Amino acid sequence: MMRSILIKAVISSLLMPLVDAFSAEKLNIHFLVSDPIQLAVNQAKSQLQVKGFQTISSNLRPHITIYMTRFQKKKRADITGYIESICKNQKPIQITISHWKLTKDGWLFLETKPNASVDRIHLDMINALHGFRSPYSKSPSQQLKDKFPNRIKGLMKYGSLWVHPYYEPHFSILTSKNSAGADRYIAANPWTKTVTGTLTGIAIAVANAEGQFGKVQWQCSFRG
């Protein structure tokens, strides 16, 4: 009996990634931004490229992630329906780029000034949509627990380390793989420009392991 249970457990663990690949998808739900913000972010990337850094692709419009995790594919219509309800009642939101930030795990961001509307949408969204996500098939690694001890509870509930109260609206510039020397660059080149624009809507894209994506699959504009 015990051997049979162990065999079933092993088979289940081997099949889980395959089942998950067909039933779940990692979605990056994000804010769309206006042209002044897009231009400023791409200029920042270009300046880093001149210095030899390999930045995140400039082929896609810069965006601010609201919520990213693995969702059940069958819940896509519920997710878009919820986001559509936000868009029809929301006016464009003014934002301002504020500073560089090199994160604890080595990513380089351009962050925005605090914004109550952005925080409200994020908080409402994670609470409305986390029930549609694909639950973890295994516990977080010990390395993750050691690095982010205060975020594991949120990770298990929402499927993301970057949720309230650790949500930081930002534009990703360098991944941790390509950020060697970024600390020296931002120390010598602090962000001093005042660049203000608007968040114009919300979009969805299927993301890779690093949270990046090739194209937007669905979007709606703010029209409140």
Side-chain angles (χ1 to χ4, degrees):
M1 177 64 74
M2 182 59 70
R3 183 178 180 183
S4 176
I5 292 174
L6 289 173
I7 291 173
K8 288 181 179 179
V10 170
I11 292 174
S12 177
S13 66
L14 292 173
L15 290 178
M16 184 60 71
L18 183 61
V19 172
D20 186 62
F22 284 102
S23 64
E25 56 188 356
K26 186 172 185 178
L27 297 183
N28 187 317
I29 304 174
H30 56 275
F31 287 115
L32 299 170
V33 303
S34 61
D35 290 342
I37 297 293
Q38 176 188 354
L39 180 62
V41 173
N42 283 337
Q43 285 178 339
K45 290 181 179 179
S46 295
Q47 291 167 9
L48 280 159
Q49 289 166 2
V50 168
K51 297 296 183 179
F53 290 95
Q54 184 179 339
T55 66
I56 290 171
S57 175
S58 300
N59 295 329
L60 191 71
R61 287 182 71 93
H63 61 277
I64 293 176
T65 297
I66 309 170
Y67 185 23
M68 179 168 59
T69 190
R70 293 189 64 79
F71 289 98
Q72 301 172 56
K73 289 182 179 180
K74 64 183 181 181
K75 296 296 184 181
R76 176 76 81 91
D78 296 287
I79 294 169
T80 56
Y82 172 77
I83 297 172
E84 178 65 30
S85 71
I86 294 177
C87 289
K88 70 180 183 181
N89 296 306
Q90 179 65 54
K91 295 179 180 179
I93 302 168
Q94 182 171 297
I95 61 163
T96 302
I97 297 175
S98 59
H99 63 282
W100 294 108
K101 178 172 181 177
L102 191 61
T103 70
K104 188 176 182 179
D105 50 344
W107 285 62
L108 181 63
F109 293 164
L110 270 177
E111 294 203 331
T112 64
K113 289 184 178 180
N115 188 294
S117 294
V118 170
D119 290 341
R120 172 182 54 79
I121 290 174
H122 163 73
L123 193 55
D124 287 349
M125 186 174 292
I126 62 174
N127 284 315
L129 300 185
H130 80 272
F132 299 149
R133 73 179 190 85
S134 178
Y136 286 116
S137 58
K138 59 182 180 179
S139 299
S141 67
Q142 189 59 49
Q143 183 181 12
L144 203 61
K145 292 178 181 178
D146 291 341
K147 186 176 288 188
F148 301 104
N150 298 326
R151 303 192 186 195
I152 298 303
K153 185 177 180 179
L155 175 65
M156 297 305 295
K157 181 175 182 179
Y158 299 110
S160 172
L161 293 168
W162 298 94
V163 292
H164 177 82
Y166 304 104
Y167 178 60
E168 300 176 9
H170 65 271
F171 299 96
S172 298
I173 306 297
L174 298 173
T175 69
S176 57
K177 296 177 182 178
N178 300 307
S179 64
D183 53 343
R184 295 188 295 275
Y185 176 84
I186 62 177
N189 301 275
W191 189 267
T192 58
K193 298 178 288 186
T194 299
V195 180
T196 298
T198 56
L199 303 177
T200 60
I202 298 176
I204 292 176
V206 176
N208 63 20
E210 292 185 326
Q212 304 307 303
F213 51 89
K215 64 179 180 179
V216 167
Q217 294 191 326
W218 180 91
Q219 67 182 67
C220 64
S221 299
F222 292 148
R223 51 188 186 276

